[in-house]
Coordinates of all heavy atoms in Angstrom, one line a residue:
M1 N 82.3 115.7 71.1 CA 82.7 115.8 69.7 C 84.2 115.6 69.6 O 85.0 116.0 70.5 CB 82.4 117.2 69.2 CG 82.8 117.4 67.8 SD 82.5 119.0 66.9 CE 81.8 120.0 68.0
I2 N 84.6 114.9 68.6 CA 86.1 114.5 68.4 C 86.7 115.6 67.6 O 86.2 116.0 66.5 CB 86.2 113.2 67.8 CG1 85.6 112.1 68.6 CG2 87.7 112.9 67.5 CD1 85.6 110.7 68.0
V3 N 87.8 116.2 68.1 CA 88.5 117.2 67.4 C 89.9 116.7 67.1 O 90.6 116.2 68.0 CB 88.6 118.5 68.2 CG1 89.4 119.6 67.5 CG2 87.2 119.0 68.5
V4 N 90.3 116.8 65.9 CA 91.7 116.4 65.5 C 92.4 117.6 64.9 O 92.0 118.0 63.8 CB 91.6 115.3 64.4 CG1 93.0 114.9 64.0 CG2 90.9 114.1 64.9
P5 N 93.3 118.1 65.6 CA 94.1 119.3 65.1 C 95.0 118.8 63.9 O 95.7 117.9 64.0 CB 94.9 119.8 66.2 CG 95.0 118.6 67.2 CD 93.8 117.8 66.9
V6 N 94.9 119.6 62.8 CA 95.7 119.3 61.6 C 96.8 120.3 61.5 O 96.5 121.5 61.4 CB 94.8 119.2 60.3 CG1 95.7 118.9 59.1 CG2 93.7 118.2 60.5
K7 N 98.0 119.9 61.5 CA 99.1 120.8 61.4 C 99.3 121.3 60.0 O 98.8 120.7 59.0 CB 100.4 120.2 61.9 CG 100.4 119.8 63.3 CD 101.6 119.0 63.7 CE 101.5 118.5 65.1 NZ 102.6 117.7 65.5
E8 N 100.0 122.4 59.8 CA 100.2 123.0 58.5 C 101.0 122.0 57.6 O 102.1 121.6 58.1 CB 101.0 124.3 58.7 CG 101.2 125.1 57.4 CD 99.9 125.7 56.9 OE1 99.0 126.0 57.7 OE2 99.7 125.8 55.6
G9 N 100.5 121.7 56.5 CA 101.2 120.8 55.6 C 101.1 119.4 55.9 O 101.7 118.5 55.3
E10 N 100.2 119.0 56.9 CA 100.1 117.6 57.2 C 99.2 116.9 56.2 O 98.2 117.5 55.7 CB 99.4 117.5 58.6 CG 99.4 116.1 59.1 CD 98.8 116.0 60.6 OE1 98.3 117.0 61.1 OE2 98.9 114.9 61.1
N11 N 99.5 115.7 55.9 CA 98.8 114.9 55.0 C 97.4 114.6 55.5 O 97.2 114.3 56.7 CB 99.5 113.6 54.7 CG 99.0 112.8 53.6 OD1 98.0 113.2 53.0 ND2 99.6 111.7 53.3
I12 N 96.4 114.7 54.6 CA 95.0 114.4 55.0 C 94.8 113.0 55.5 O 94.0 112.6 56.3 CB 94.0 114.8 53.9 CG1 92.6 114.8 54.5 CG2 94.1 113.9 52.8 CD1 92.3 115.9 55.4
E13 N 95.6 112.1 54.9 CA 95.5 110.6 55.2 C 95.9 110.4 56.7 O 95.3 109.6 57.4 CB 96.3 109.8 54.3 CG 96.0 109.9 52.8 CD 94.6 109.3 52.5 OE1 94.2 108.4 53.2 OE2 93.9 109.9 51.7
R14 N 96.9 111.1 57.1 CA 97.4 111.0 58.5 C 96.4 111.5 59.4 O 96.1 111.0 60.5 CB 98.7 111.7 58.6 CG 99.2 111.6 60.1 CD 100.7 112.0 60.1 NE 101.4 110.9 59.6 CZ 102.7 110.9 59.3 NH1 103.4 112.0 59.5 NH2 103.4 109.9 58.9
A15 N 95.7 112.7 59.1 CA 94.7 113.3 59.9 C 93.5 112.3 60.0 O 92.9 112.2 61.1 CB 94.2 114.6 59.3
L16 N 93.1 111.7 58.9 CA 92.0 110.7 59.0 C 92.4 109.5 59.9 O 91.5 109.0 60.6 CB 91.7 110.2 57.6 CG 90.7 111.0 56.8 CD1 90.7 110.5 55.3 CD2 89.4 111.0 57.4
K17 N 93.6 109.1 59.8 CA 94.1 108.0 60.6 C 94.0 108.3 62.1 O 93.5 107.5 62.9 CB 95.5 107.6 60.3 CG 96.0 106.3 60.8 CD 97.4 106.0 60.3 CE 97.4 104.6 59.7 NZ 98.7 104.2 59.3
K18 N 94.3 109.6 62.5 CA 94.2 110.1 63.8 C 92.8 110.1 64.3 O 92.4 109.7 65.4 CB 94.8 111.5 64.0 CG 96.3 111.5 64.0 CD 96.7 113.0 64.2 CE 98.2 113.2 64.1 NZ 98.6 114.6 64.2
F19 N 91.9 110.6 63.4 CA 90.5 110.6 63.7 C 89.9 109.2 64.0 O 89.2 109.0 64.9 CB 89.7 111.3 62.6 CG 88.2 111.2 62.8 CD1 87.6 112.1 63.6 CD2 87.5 110.3 62.1 CE1 86.2 112.0 63.8 CE2 86.1 110.2 62.2 CZ 85.5 111.1 63.1
K20 N 90.2 108.3 63.1 CA 89.7 106.9 63.3 C 90.2 106.3 64.6 O 89.5 105.6 65.3 CB 90.2 106.0 62.1 CG 89.5 106.4 60.8 CD 90.0 105.5 59.7 CE 89.3 105.9 58.3 NZ 89.9 105.1 57.2
R21 N 91.5 106.5 64.9 CA 92.0 106.0 66.2 C 91.3 106.6 67.4 O 90.9 105.9 68.3 CB 93.5 106.3 66.2 CG 94.3 105.4 67.1 CD 95.8 105.6 67.1 NE 96.3 105.6 65.7 CZ 97.1 106.6 65.2 NH1 97.4 107.6 65.9 NH2 97.6 106.5 64.0
K22 N 91.1 107.9 67.4 CA 90.3 108.5 68.5 C 88.9 108.0 68.5 O 88.4 107.8 69.6 CB 90.3 110.1 68.3 CG 91.5 110.7 68.8 CD 91.4 112.2 68.8 CE 92.5 113.0 69.3 NZ 92.3 114.4 69.4
Y23 N 88.3 107.8 67.4 CA 86.9 107.3 67.3 C 86.8 105.9 67.9 O 85.9 105.6 68.6 CB 86.4 107.4 65.9 CG 85.0 107.0 65.7 CD1 84.0 107.9 66.1 CD2 84.6 105.8 65.2 CE1 82.6 107.6 65.9 CE2 83.2 105.5 65.0 CZ 82.3 106.4 65.3 OH 81.0 106.1 65.2
E24 N 87.8 105.1 67.6 CA 87.8 103.7 68.1 C 88.0 103.7 69.6 O 87.3 102.9 70.3 CB 88.9 102.9 67.5 CG 88.6 102.4 66.1 CD 87.4 101.5 66.0 OE1 87.3 100.6 66.9 OE2 86.6 101.6 65.1
K25 N 88.8 104.6 70.1 CA 89.1 104.6 71.6 C 87.8 105.1 72.4 O 87.7 104.7 73.5 CB 90.2 105.6 71.9 CG 91.6 105.0 71.5 CD 92.7 105.9 72.0 CE 94.0 105.2 71.7 NZ 95.1 106.1 72.1
T26 N 86.9 105.8 71.8 CA 85.7 106.3 72.5 C 84.8 105.1 72.7 O 84.0 105.1 73.7 CB 85.0 107.4 71.7 OG1 84.6 106.9 70.4 CG2 85.8 108.6 71.6
G27 N 84.8 104.1 71.9 CA 84.0 102.9 72.1 C 82.6 103.1 71.6 O 81.7 102.3 72.0
I28 N 82.3 104.1 70.8 CA 80.9 104.3 70.3 C 80.4 103.2 69.5 O 79.3 102.7 69.7 CB 80.9 105.6 69.5 CG1 81.2 106.8 70.4 CG2 79.6 105.8 68.9 CD1 81.4 108.1 69.7
V29 N 81.2 102.7 68.6 CA 80.7 101.6 67.7 C 80.5 100.3 68.5 O 79.4 99.7 68.3 CB 81.8 101.3 66.6 CG1 81.3 100.1 65.8 CG2 81.9 102.6 65.7
K30 N 81.3 100.1 69.5 CA 81.2 98.9 70.3 C 79.9 98.9 71.1 O 79.1 98.0 71.2 CB 82.4 98.8 71.2 CG 82.5 97.5 71.9 CD 83.8 97.4 72.7 CE 84.1 96.1 73.3 NZ 85.4 96.0 74.0
E31 N 79.6 100.1 71.6 CA 78.4 100.3 72.4 C 77.1 100.2 71.6 O 76.1 99.6 72.0 CB 78.4 101.7 73.1 CG 77.2 101.9 74.0 CD 77.3 103.2 74.7 OE1 78.3 103.8 74.8 OE2 76.2 103.7 75.2
L32 N 77.2 100.8 70.4 CA 76.0 100.7 69.5 C 75.7 99.2 69.1 O 74.6 98.8 69.1 CB 76.3 101.5 68.2 CG 76.1 103.0 68.3 CD1 76.5 103.7 67.0 CD2 74.7 103.4 68.7
R33 N 76.8 98.5 68.8 CA 76.6 97.0 68.5 C 76.0 96.3 69.7 O 75.2 95.4 69.5 CB 77.9 96.4 68.0 CG 78.3 96.9 66.6 CD 79.5 96.2 66.1 NE 79.8 96.7 64.8 CZ 81.0 96.8 64.3 NH1 82.0 96.3 65.0 NH2 81.2 97.2 63.1
A34 N 76.4 96.6 70.8 CA 75.9 95.9 72.0 C 74.5 96.3 72.3 O 73.7 95.4 72.8 CB 76.8 96.3 73.3
R35 N 74.1 97.4 71.9 CA 72.7 97.9 72.2 C 71.7 97.3 71.1 O 70.5 97.4 71.3 CB 72.6 99.4 72.2 CG 73.2 100.0 73.4 CD 73.0 101.5 73.4 NE 73.5 102.1 74.6 CZ 73.1 103.2 75.1 NH1 72.1 103.9 74.6 NH2 73.6 103.7 76.2
Q36 N 72.2 96.8 70.0 CA 71.3 96.3 69.0 C 70.5 95.1 69.5 O 69.4 94.8 69.0 CB 72.1 95.9 67.7 CG 72.5 97.1 67.0 CD 73.3 96.8 65.7 OE1 73.7 95.6 65.5 NE2 73.5 97.7 64.9
Q37 N 71.0 94.3 70.4 CA 70.3 93.2 70.9 C 70.5 93.1 72.4 O 71.5 93.6 73.0 CB 70.9 91.9 70.3 CG 72.3 91.6 70.7 CD 72.8 90.3 70.0 OE1 72.2 89.9 69.0 NE2 73.8 89.7 70.6
F38 N 69.6 92.5 73.1 CA 69.6 92.3 74.6 C 70.3 91.0 74.9 O 70.0 90.0 74.4 CB 68.2 92.3 75.2 CG 68.2 92.1 76.6 CD1 68.6 93.1 77.5 CD2 67.9 90.9 77.2 CE1 68.6 92.9 78.9 CE2 67.9 90.6 78.5 CZ 68.3 91.7 79.4
D39 N 71.3 91.1 75.8 CA 72.0 89.9 76.3 C 71.6 89.8 77.8 O 71.7 90.8 78.5 CB 73.5 90.0 76.1 CG 73.9 89.9 74.7 OD1 73.2 89.2 73.9 OD2 74.9 90.6 74.3
K40 N 71.3 88.6 78.2 CA 71.0 88.3 79.6 C 72.2 88.6 80.4 O 73.3 88.3 80.0 CB 70.5 86.9 79.8 CG 69.1 86.7 79.1 CD 68.5 85.3 79.4 CE 69.4 84.2 79.9 NZ 68.7 82.9 80.0
P41 N 72.0 89.0 81.7 CA 73.2 89.2 82.5 C 74.1 88.0 82.7 O 75.3 88.1 82.8 CB 72.6 89.7 83.8 CG 71.3 90.3 83.5 CD 70.8 89.5 82.3
S42 N 73.4 86.8 82.7 CA 74.2 85.6 82.9 C 75.1 85.3 81.7 O 76.2 84.9 81.8 CB 73.3 84.4 83.1 OG 72.4 84.2 82.0
V43 N 74.6 85.7 80.5 CA 75.4 85.5 79.3 C 76.6 86.5 79.3 O 77.7 86.1 78.9 CB 74.5 85.7 78.0 CG1 75.4 85.7 76.8 CG2 73.5 84.6 78.0
I44 N 76.3 87.7 79.7 CA 77.4 88.7 79.8 C 78.5 88.3 80.8 O 79.7 88.4 80.5 CB 76.8 90.1 80.2 CG1 75.9 90.6 79.1 CG2 77.9 91.1 80.5 CD1 75.1 91.9 79.5
N45 N 78.0 87.8 81.9 CA 79.0 87.3 82.9 C 79.8 86.1 82.4 O 81.1 86.0 82.6 CB 78.3 86.9 84.2 CG 77.8 88.1 85.0 OD1 78.3 89.2 84.8 ND2 76.8 87.8 85.8
R46 N 79.2 85.2 81.6 CA 79.9 84.1 81.1 C 81.0 84.6 80.1 O 82.1 84.0 80.0 CB 78.9 83.2 80.4 CG 79.3 81.7 80.3 CD 78.2 80.8 79.7 NE 76.9 81.0 80.4 CZ 75.8 81.0 79.7 NH1 75.8 80.9 78.4 NH2 74.6 81.2 80.4
K47 N 80.6 85.6 79.3 CA 81.6 86.1 78.3 C 82.7 86.8 79.0 O 83.9 86.6 78.6 CB 80.9 87.1 77.4 CG 80.0 86.4 76.3 CD 79.4 87.5 75.4 CE 78.5 86.8 74.4 NZ 77.9 87.8 73.4
K48 N 82.4 87.5 80.1 CA 83.5 88.2 80.8 C 84.5 87.1 81.4 O 85.7 87.3 81.4 CB 82.9 89.0 82.0 CG 82.4 90.3 81.5 CD 81.9 91.1 82.7 CE 81.2 92.4 82.3 NZ 80.7 93.2 83.5
M49 N 83.9 86.1 81.9 CA 84.7 85.0 82.5 C 85.6 84.4 81.5 O 86.8 84.1 81.7 CB 83.9 83.9 83.2 CG 83.3 84.4 84.5 SD 84.5 84.7 85.8 CE 85.1 83.1 86.1
A50 N 85.0 84.1 80.3 CA 85.8 83.5 79.2 C 86.9 84.4 78.8 O 88.0 83.9 78.5 CB 84.9 83.1 78.0
K51 N 86.6 85.7 78.7 CA 87.7 86.6 78.3 C 88.8 86.7 79.3 O 90.0 86.7 79.0 CB 87.1 88.0 78.1 CG 88.1 89.0 77.6 CD 87.4 90.4 77.4 CE 88.5 91.4 76.9 NZ 87.9 92.7 76.7
A52 N 88.4 86.7 80.6 CA 89.4 86.7 81.7 C 90.3 85.5 81.6 O 91.5 85.6 81.8 CB 88.7 86.8 83.0
V53 N 89.7 84.3 81.4 CA 90.5 83.1 81.3 C 91.4 83.2 80.1 O 92.6 82.8 80.2 CB 89.6 81.8 81.2 CG1 90.3 80.6 80.8 CG2 88.8 81.6 82.5
Y54 N 91.0 83.7 79.0 CA 91.8 83.8 77.8 C 93.0 84.7 78.1 O 94.1 84.4 77.7 CB 90.9 84.3 76.6 CG 91.7 84.6 75.4 CD1 92.1 83.6 74.6 CD2 92.0 86.0 75.0 CE1 92.9 83.9 73.4 CE2 92.7 86.3 73.9 CZ 93.1 85.2 73.1 OH 93.8 85.5 71.9
V55 N 92.7 85.9 78.7 CA 93.8 86.8 79.0 C 94.8 86.2 79.9 O 96.0 86.4 79.8 CB 93.2 88.2 79.5 CG1 94.2 89.1 80.0 CG2 92.4 88.9 78.4
Q56 N 94.3 85.5 80.9 CA 95.2 84.9 81.9 C 96.1 83.9 81.3 O 97.3 83.8 81.6 CB 94.3 84.3 83.0 CG 95.2 83.8 84.2 CD 94.3 83.3 85.3 OE1 93.2 82.9 85.1 NE2 94.8 83.4 86.5
K57 N 95.5 83.1 80.3 CA 96.4 82.1 79.6 C 97.4 82.8 78.8 O 98.6 82.4 78.7 CB 95.5 81.2 78.7 CG 94.7 80.2 79.5 CD 93.9 79.3 78.6 CE 93.1 78.3 79.4 NZ 92.3 77.4 78.6
L58 N 97.1 83.9 78.2 CA 98.0 84.7 77.4 C 99.2 85.2 78.3 O 100.4 85.1 77.9 CB 97.4 85.9 76.7 CG 96.5 85.6 75.5 CD1 95.9 86.9 74.9 CD2 97.3 84.9 74.4
H59 N 98.9 85.7 79.4 CA 99.9 86.2 80.4 C 100.8 85.0 80.8 O 102.0 85.2 81.0 CB 99.3 86.9 81.5 CG 98.7 88.2 81.2 ND1 99.4 89.2 80.6 CD2 97.4 88.7 81.3 CE1 98.7 90.3 80.4 NE2 97.4 90.0 80.8
Q60 N 100.2 83.8 81.1 CA 101.0 82.7 81.5 C 102.0 82.2 80.4 O 103.1 81.9 80.7 CB 100.1 81.5 81.9 CG 99.4 81.7 83.2 CD 98.4 80.6 83.5 OE1 98.2 79.7 82.7 NE2 97.9 80.6 84.8
V61 N 101.5 82.2 79.2 CA 102.4 81.8 78.1 C 103.5 82.9 77.9 O 104.6 82.5 77.6 CB 101.6 81.7 76.8 CG1 102.5 81.5 75.6 CG2 100.6 80.6 76.9
E62 N 103.2 84.1 78.2 CA 104.2 85.2 78.0 C 105.3 85.1 79.0 O 106.4 85.4 78.7 CB 103.4 86.6 78.2 CG 104.2 87.7 77.7 CD 103.4 89.0 77.8 OE1 102.6 89.3 76.8 OE2 103.4 89.6 78.8
D63 N 104.9 84.7 80.2 CA 105.9 84.6 81.3 C 106.8 83.3 81.2 O 107.5 82.8 80.7 CB 105.3 84.4 82.7 CG 104.6 85.7 83.1 OD1 105.0 86.8 82.5 OD2 103.6 85.7 83.9

């Protein structure tokens, strides 16, 4: 369960923003979307490789 402590006099909008950030970090939504359909292991590996290549190119441009 996600718990967001709200300080005295803190804006409810800020507390909601904290909750949303914590919720995103847990990865629940990402996992649910992934479980909606079955992806073959070869497809998953191909996506991982494509992501790794993309990240590596970003790091090369950065340097």
Side-chain angles (χ1 to χ4, degrees):
M1 181 179 359
I2 300 174
V3 177
V4 179
V6 179
K7 297 176 184 172
E8 186 70 32
E10 186 177 10
N11 190 357
I12 191 71
E13 300 296 326
R14 179 165 284 166
L16 273 173
K17 194 175 229 182
K18 283 182 185 179
F19 172 78
K20 288 179 184 177
R21 202 174 307 128
K22 279 188 176 185
Y23 186 73
E24 283 295 320
K25 284 186 179 183
T26 59
I28 293 171
V29 175
K30 193 174 187 180
E31 184 179 341
L32 284 175
R33 287 186 180 148
R35 287 183 180 207
Q36 284 181 350
Q37 67 181 22
F38 176 77
D39 291 329
K40 293 188 337 185
S42 61
V43 173
I44 293 172
N45 289 338
R46 206 175 310 136
K47 285 183 182 180
K48 282 184 185 178
M49 286 296 291
K51 183 178 179 183
V53 169
Y54 174 75
V55 169
Q56 191 174 24
K57 284 183 182 179
L58 284 179
H59 287 302
Q60 286 177 352
V61 170
E62 196 175 272
D63 291 337

